[in-house]
Amino acid sequence: MQIKNNYKIANYTWFKLGGLVQTFFIPQSISDIKDFIKKIDSKDKIYVLGLGSNILIRDGGIDGVLIKLGQGFGYINLTDGILRVGAAATDRSVSIFAKNNGIGGFEFLYNIPGSIGGGIKMNCGCYGSEIKDHLKEIKILDLKTHKIITKKKEEIDFKYRETNINDNQLIIEASFYTEKKDKDKIWEKMQANEKMRKQNQPTSGRMAGSVFKNPNEISAWKVINKIGGDSISNKGAYVSKKHNNFILAKNDATANDVEDLINTIKNQAKEQYNIDMHLEIKIIGAK
């Protein structure tokens, strides 16, 4: 395991922004986490970082602990028709593993730049599929009691891009039901989805995924387009011309530039069309 103090976290996020983290912890096992938690102050706020593709860390950094699960949590196994995946495994690697083993239903994960743990916590999805669709159960390490809890899918309240899994519940593993499908058909669907993504979304630059959840009955990008679209910017942050629900950061951008732009979009959507825009990305840290 690795423990780093007063660590600049920017390179671990897709925005490449953010101040210092008081304690950055990369465990490789459950025992690493339990031992570490026993040693820190119980009052310390604990945050969890996945691949950093869905988060904005503020310029003031994090006064507390940021946990990023190491490769010890990146395993993918198939036993008796059940796909067992460590929370640090990437969505893309799970999709490829499923394809190589002739398992359908995981094609959509090929296009989501995140980890399985983060994907479950926010019920990620695209192209008509969500991560909950084939989920059997998850294992959680409770950061307060240090106990491992197994939760069946039916015990989790899955909603559009959110769940009732709280911040003290660290997902460490997920199990999925599987169904057989022709490998060539799986690959064709993965490639078709990838082609669509490249045509409709930015694929390079300093950014996160979709910034806002879709409001009722309208896509978030359409709302942003109605209030000005890619002409909206704030200092080092600007709205993508290719897809208005993506915000990109210039080399001289600050996290504050991005957050101010987000707030501008929220305010204008409310003022002009009485639409409440809710974030899909997570913003943490001090300004």
Side-chain angles (χ1 to χ4, degrees):
M1 64 178 177
Q2 299 179 56
I3 301 174
K4 302 177 180 181
N5 297 314
N6 297 318
Y7 186 75
K8 188 166 180 59
I9 198 65
N11 286 336
Y12 278 89
T13 74
W14 284 40
F15 270 124
K16 305 297 183 190
L17 299 170
L20 300 179
V21 174
Q22 181 182 339
T23 305
F24 184 44
F25 174 49
I26 305 177
Q28 300 296 339
S29 66
I30 294 171
S31 61
D32 282 352
I33 303 172
K34 288 184 176 181
D35 290 344
F36 174 80
I37 293 173
K38 289 176 184 176
K39 296 175 183 177
I40 65 173
D41 191 322
S42 60
K43 295 180 182 179
D44 284 346
K45 176 68 176 174
I46 299 177
Y47 301 89
V48 178
L49 178 70
L51 284 190
S53 59
N54 200 46
I55 196 166
L56 175 66
I57 297 177
R58 293 186 172 112
D59 301 312
I62 295 173
D63 184 17
V65 177
L66 184 64
I67 297 177
K68 178 177 174 60
L69 297 179
Q71 284 305 304
F73 293 91
Y75 54 84
I76 308 172
N77 300 318
L78 179 63
T79 306
D80 297 329
I82 300 298
L83 190 63
R84 193 169 64 92
V85 181
T90 66
D91 297 330
R92 196 176 185 95
S93 66
V94 171
S95 181
I96 292 171
F97 181 95
K99 185 266 294 183
N100 291 341
N101 286 274
I103 297 169
F106 296 85
E107 294 91 337
F108 75 102
L109 287 177
Y110 190 67
N111 306 102
I112 298 179
S115 62
I116 289 297
I120 291 172
K121 193 172 190 306
M122 67 167 288
N123 190 26
C124 72
C126 61
Y127 307 123
S129 297
E130 292 180 324
I131 201 166
K132 69 175 175 60
D133 294 345
H134 296 277
L135 185 66
K136 177 178 183 286
E137 62 188 24
I138 61 174
K139 287 185 179 179
I140 290 172
L141 175 62
D142 189 298
L143 297 175
K144 288 190 175 295
T145 66
H146 308 168
K147 293 180 179 179
I148 295 177
I149 305 165
T150 298
K151 278 197 173 188
K152 302 289 185 183
K153 173 185 174 178
E154 295 74 22
E155 299 177 83
I156 305 168
D157 185 14
F158 283 101
K159 296 180 181 178
Y160 171 61
R161 301 298 174 265
E162 64 178 277
T163 66
N164 61 342
I165 300 169
N166 67 53
D167 291 340
N168 291 316
Q169 297 176 322
L170 176 60
I171 299 171
I172 56 176
E173 182 182 288
S175 295
F176 299 90
Y177 295 110
T178 61
E179 57 183 36
K180 284 293 184 179
K181 187 176 177 180
D182 182 78
K183 291 182 183 180
D184 290 337
K185 290 183 178 179
I186 294 172
W187 183 238
E188 285 175 10
K189 189 171 183 179
M190 290 165 67
Q191 290 294 91
N193 289 346
E194 179 77 349
K195 182 179 180 180
M196 189 182 303
R197 184 181 71 88
K198 288 181 177 179
Q199 287 176 342
N200 298 310
Q201 297 178 9
T203 56
S204 62
R206 296 166 56 183
M207 60 184 173
S210 297
V211 175
F212 295 98
K213 300 176 184 178
N214 291 326
N216 292 334
E217 300 178 359
I218 186 171
S219 298
W221 75 265
K222 289 184 178 179
V223 177
I224 300 169
N225 185 261
K226 285 163 68 76
I227 63 173
D230 54 55
S231 65
I232 308 172
S233 64
N234 178 67
K235 298 178 182 177
Y238 62 98
V239 172
S240 166
K241 294 181 183 295
K242 200 167 189 179
H243 193 302
N244 287 172
N245 198 20
F246 286 75
I247 289 176
L248 288 94
K250 299 177 182 178
N251 290 336
D252 61 349
T254 65
N256 195 56
D257 293 344
V258 176
E259 188 170 6
D260 283 351
L261 178 55
I262 287 171
N263 289 331
T264 294
I265 292 170
K266 291 172 71 173
N267 292 337
Q268 290 188 18
K270 185 65 175 178
E271 290 172 7
Q272 295 181 35
Y273 298 98
N274 197 32
I275 295 176
D276 293 313
M277 300 289 282
H278 298 287
L279 287 175
E280 185 165 320
I281 69 169
K282 189 172 183 178
I283 301 177
I284 63 173
K287 283 199 171 187

